[in-house]
């Protein structure tokens, strides 16, 4: 699996719980790698929009059914 890094700049500052953020990023990245088919790509993007840090991890795996989102992400 190819990993593509799209980083807007070297540093993005955010006020957040560093341990929680590390756990979230690790889980998202790990799942992206685990569920992506061989020969596909995982893209990790980090940037800033409207003064907020934005992280996106995109893969080519099967995804999560919309009706399952609430079980994993609560109100989101």
């Amino acid at each position: 699996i190819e990993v593509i890094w799209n980083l807007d700049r070297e540093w993005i500052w955010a006020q957040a719980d560093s341990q929680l953020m590390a756990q979230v990023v690790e889980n998202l990245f790990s799942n992206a790698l685990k569920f992506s088919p061989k020969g596909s790509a995982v893209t990790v993007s980090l940037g800033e929009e409207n003064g907020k840090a934005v992280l996106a991890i995109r893969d080519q795996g099967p995804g999560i059914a919309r009706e399952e989102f609430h079980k994993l992400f609560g109100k989101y």
Side-chain angles (χ1 to χ4, degrees):
I1 295 174
E2 179 182 12
V3 177
I4 300 167
W5 300 93
N6 292 326
L7 308 176
D8 276 359
R9 49 180 130 159
E10 191 172 330
W11 293 98
I12 300 285
W13 295 100
Q15 185 174 356
D17 180 322
S18 61
Q19 289 181 331
L20 180 59
M21 288 306 301
Q23 181 181 3
V24 167
V25 172
E26 180 182 350
N27 287 343
L28 289 172
F29 189 63
S30 174
N31 284 340
L33 293 174
K34 182 178 4 177
F35 293 109
S36 290
K38 286 186 177 184
S40 65
V42 171
T43 302
V44 180
S45 301
L46 178 63
E48 187 177 338
E49 291 180 20
N50 300 319
K52 295 183 180 183
V54 178
L55 171 72
I57 300 176
R58 300 184 193 282
D59 62 63
Q60 298 170 349
I64 301 168
R66 184 163 296 280
E67 57 272 7
E68 299 296 318
F69 265 51
H70 72 282
K71 292 178 186 174
L72 297 172
F73 302 109
K75 64 180 180 175
Y76 302 103

